[in-house]
């Protein structure tokens, strides 16, 4: 007897996979919308991604930065997206071709992962944080059950006409489109909520504003002295920029202090503010890299603030804690008069959301990971023995002074340039000491002193240039700097991990005949 006439014919594999994708997209879309309603909530994808970021070995992180630069986050999110899509498709096949209940168990396991990721947030366990995942996975489950009810099962009534199958595919397509639309809408809502407040914010005025940066500080063939906010490198562990509600935000000064302090935004900006030009550098910057930038920061002096709190004897570490749970830590000794700030503005604007709105730390001379907490909410006085900041258990040094370094900005490595007169230029930095000399070497020639542009202060990069008559052929150019204490930059090459790269930035240029 021919059984195909009486037994239900299973749905085709591609259609059930598509149905699984649609149900997954719908659930994730719903989760995005739920997440957009409060800054205590995050999208499940972001939650899972954040846990990956927290647990990835530092070598992999440096590799990701080296391979993808600042797109490393996008790559991670896309990878998670592809994995989720594969799983959703598999769940669709299982649910619609085999057993619905097995598919639903798949959804539940998935939800469990999201719940675990939400509960393991750096900011601590918050049951409410599981709501987007729970609502989203329920939506996916309902969608799967509905699809199972209406799926064309190949009974004789359906045979011969493809209409049933076609309308099913149409329904699935609609569901997928709804999921994607709703998800994008949720994202938009989430991002909009933060920008509006930041863009409308007024800034306090410093008692003694700085004059514009002297044009003599700019060397020819070097990067712009002040890095525009849009061009300033961004490095952080936040897959999604934390959203801070200014009305409820506060800055606490806690730990080993005589008088713990607490400021609302309004209270904080009533304090005197100062302006300072400071070059910020990332420990992950490789030789010649661009994880460095200079900005004019406006902020409250950290030494003043901590003098009000009164540091208890024995405290040797200042920890900056972010609203997203990230921490950095640097020595109390760094407060030696340098312009360490609780910064609230960057190049004349409120801090961009990506750069730490509404407040961050900026400490000249200490790599960003150990000093420059963005989305700052707490400054805790403690000891290096008692507390490891975020990157310490991940292999980076607890104490991280910025190393003396220099970079060639022009020409670029492997540039082809014409023979004849040109100018080699770049930057050198030794925050907060300052630079006293830069030398350039071409091929096997002698080290030649470069011309230094004017110094703005010891905590900014110093620009340099050297005229050169380029002769046809292949040339190697190296740079080295000397700091204001007469210390010369080492040529020993070391990798960024665990406390910053050293070595001479060296490039090769190809000079054509005219
Ligand atoms: N909250 C938070 N602050 C952070 C980080 C982070 O991951 N989270 N990264 C630090 C690192 S490693 C650097 S180099 C600087 C970079 O600051 P920028 O993105 O404004 O250039 O921010 C620091 N502050
Ligand atoms: Mo960094």
């Amino acid at each position: 007897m021919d059984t195909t006439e009486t037994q239900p014919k299973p749905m085709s594999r591609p259609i059930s996979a598509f149905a699984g994708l649609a149900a997954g997209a719908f659930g994730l879309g719903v989760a995005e919308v739920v997440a957009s309603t409060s800054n205590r909530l995050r999208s499940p994808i972001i939650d899972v991604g954040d846990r990956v970021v927290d647990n990835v070995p530092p070598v992999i992180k440096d590799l990701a930065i080296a391979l993808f630069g600042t797109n490393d986050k996008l790559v991670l999110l896309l990878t998670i997206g592809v994995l989720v899509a594969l799983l959703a498709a598999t769940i669709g096949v299982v649910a619609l071709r085999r057993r619905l209940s097995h598919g639903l168990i798949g959804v539940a396991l998935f939800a469990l992962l999201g719940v675990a990721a939400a509960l393991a947030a750096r900011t601590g366990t918050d049951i409410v944080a599981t709501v987007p995942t729970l609502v989203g996975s329920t939506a996916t489950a309902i969608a799967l059950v509905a699809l199972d009810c209406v799926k064309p099962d190949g009974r004789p009534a359906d045979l011969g006409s493809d209409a049933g199958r076609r309308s099913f595919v149409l329904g699935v397509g609609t569901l997928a489109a709804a999921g994607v639309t709703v998800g994008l809408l949720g994202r938009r809502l989430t991002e909009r909520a933060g920008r509006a407040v930041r863009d409308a914010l007024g800034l306090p005025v410093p008692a003694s504003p700085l004059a514009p940066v002297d044009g003599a500080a700019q060397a020819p063939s070097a990067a712009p002295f002040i890095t525009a906010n849009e061009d300033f490198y961004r490095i952080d562990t936040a897959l999604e920029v934390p959203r801070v509600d200014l009305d409820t935000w506060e800055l606490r000064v806690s730990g080993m202090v005589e008088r713990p302090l607490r400021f609302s935004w309004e209270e904080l900006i009533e304090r005197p503010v100062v302006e300072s030009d400071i070059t910020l550098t990332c420990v992950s910057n490789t030789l010649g890299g661009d994880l460095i930038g200079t900005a004019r920061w406006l902020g409250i002096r950290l030494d003043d603030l901590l003098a009000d709190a009164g540091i208890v004897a024995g405290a040797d570490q200042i920890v900056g804690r972010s609203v997203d749970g990230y921490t950095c830590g640097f020595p109390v000794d760094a407060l030696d008069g340098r312009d360490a700030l609780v910064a609230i503005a960057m190049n004349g604007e409120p801090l961009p959301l990506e750069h730490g709105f509404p407040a961050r730390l900026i400490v000249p001379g200490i790599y960003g990971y150990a000093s420059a907490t963005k989305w700052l909410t707490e400054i805790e006085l403690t000891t290096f023995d008692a507390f490891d900041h975020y990157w310490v258990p991940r292999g980076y040094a607890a104490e991280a002074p910025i190393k003396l370094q220099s970079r060639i900005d022009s020409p670029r490595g492997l540039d082809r340039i014409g023979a004849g007169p040109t100018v080699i230029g770049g930057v050198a930095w030794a925050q907060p000491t300052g630079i006293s000399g830069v030398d350039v070497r071409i091929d096997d020639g002698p080290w030649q002193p470069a011309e230094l542009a004017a110094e703005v202060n010891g905590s900014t990069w110093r620009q340099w240039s050297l005229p050169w008559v380029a002769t046809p052929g292949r040339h190697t150019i190296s740079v080295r700097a000397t700091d204001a204490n007469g210390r010369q930059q080492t040529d020993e090459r070391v990798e960024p991990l665990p406390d910053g790269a050293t070595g001479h930035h060296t490039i090769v240029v190809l000079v054509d005949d005219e």
Side-chain angles (χ1 to χ4, degrees), residues 61 73 122 232-238 242 280-284 291 293 297 321-328 346 354-356 360-362 367-376 390-391:
K61 174 215 118 194
K73 291 194 178 110
R122 296 201 284 264
F232 209 97
Y233 79 93
R234 174 186 168 197
I235 291 285
D236 53 59
T237 57
L280 179 64
T281 316
C282 181
V283 70
S284 299
L291 301 182
W297 308 94
R321 185 167 284 112
S322 165
V323 299
D324 69 356
Y326 179 89
T327 51
C328 68
M346 180 177 185
E354 296 75 11
H355 294 289
R360 72 175 306 171
L361 289 171
I362 290 291
Y367 284 119
Y369 83 95
S371 67
T373 303
K374 304 192 272 189
W375 314 292
L376 181 70
Y390 183 88
W391 282 107

Side-chain angles (χ1 to χ4, degrees), residues 21-33 44 132-133 135-141 143 179:
L21 275 177
F26 180 65
L28 283 171
V30 168
E32 288 293 341
V33 172
T133 292
V135 176
S137 47
T138 306
T140 295

Side-chain angles (χ1 to χ4, degrees), residues 411-434:
R412 297 241 149 226
L414 300 183
D415 266 0
R416 285 197 100 90
I417 59 172
T422 182
V423 178
I424 305 169
V427 291
W429 60 95
Q431 308 97 307
T433 311

Side-chain angles (χ1 to χ4, degrees), residues 135-336:
V135 176
S137 47
T138 306
T140 295
I142 290 172
L144 273 183
V145 172
L147 290 172
D148 187 62
C149 285
V150 302
K151 74 179 175 192
D153 57 8
R155 280 180 217 284
D158 285 337
L159 287 180
S161 101
D162 281 337
R165 201 148 48 91
R166 226 178 297 133
S167 65
F168 179 78
V169 172
L170 202 69
V172 169
T174 311
L175 185 66
V180 171
T181 311
V182 160
L184 291 179
L185 186 78
R187 284 274 89 188
R188 276 290 291 273
L189 288 177
T190 302
E191 276 162 21
R192 271 250 216 104
R195 304 225 177 252
V197 179
R198 182 261 174 197
D199 293 349
L201 200 64
L203 290 173
V205 180
S208 38
L210 284 184
V213 172
D214 185 351
Q218 178 71 51
S221 300
F225 186 88
I226 292 285
T227 314
N229 288 356
E230 310 76 69
D231 300 333
F232 209 97
Y233 79 93
R234 174 186 168 197
I235 291 285
D236 53 59
T237 57
L239 284 178
E240 176 179 61
V241 172
R243 282 164 288 153
V244 171
D245 175 6
L246 265 197
D247 295 332
T248 53
W249 178 83
E250 60 177 16
L251 177 63
R252 297 179 297 278
V253 179
S254 66
M256 297 173 71
V257 289
E258 279 149 15
R259 294 166 294 277
L261 305 175
R262 201 177 266 266
F263 300 94
S264 67
W265 171 255
E266 296 301 334
E267 289 163 349
L268 185 70
I269 63 173
E270 270 169 24
R271 293 186 65 98
V273 287
V274 297
E275 279 182 320
S276 187
D277 298 328
I278 299 167
T279 298
L280 179 64
T281 316
C282 181
V283 70
S284 299
N285 198 34
T286 47
L287 299 184
D290 56 7
L291 301 182
I292 175 167
T294 301
R296 174 159 293 183
W297 308 94
L298 174 78
I300 292 93
R301 287 194 69 95
L302 188 58
D303 46 13
D304 282 354
L305 196 69
L306 293 182
D308 284 3
I311 301 176
V312 169
D316 64 4
Q317 183 178 213
I318 301 172
V319 169
R321 185 167 284 112
S322 165
V323 299
D324 69 356
Y326 179 89
T327 51
C328 68
F330 54 96
V332 169
D333 288 349
L335 299 185
D336 55 2

Side-chain angles (χ1 to χ4, degrees), residues 33-59:
V33 172
V34 173
S36 75
T37 59
S38 156
N39 53 13
R40 264 169 87 186
L41 305 177
R42 279 171 314 277
S43 128
I45 299 273
I46 299 282
D47 264 335
V48 170
D50 276 343
R51 299 294 76 77
V52 173
V53 168
D54 283 349
N55 293 298
V56 77
V59 267

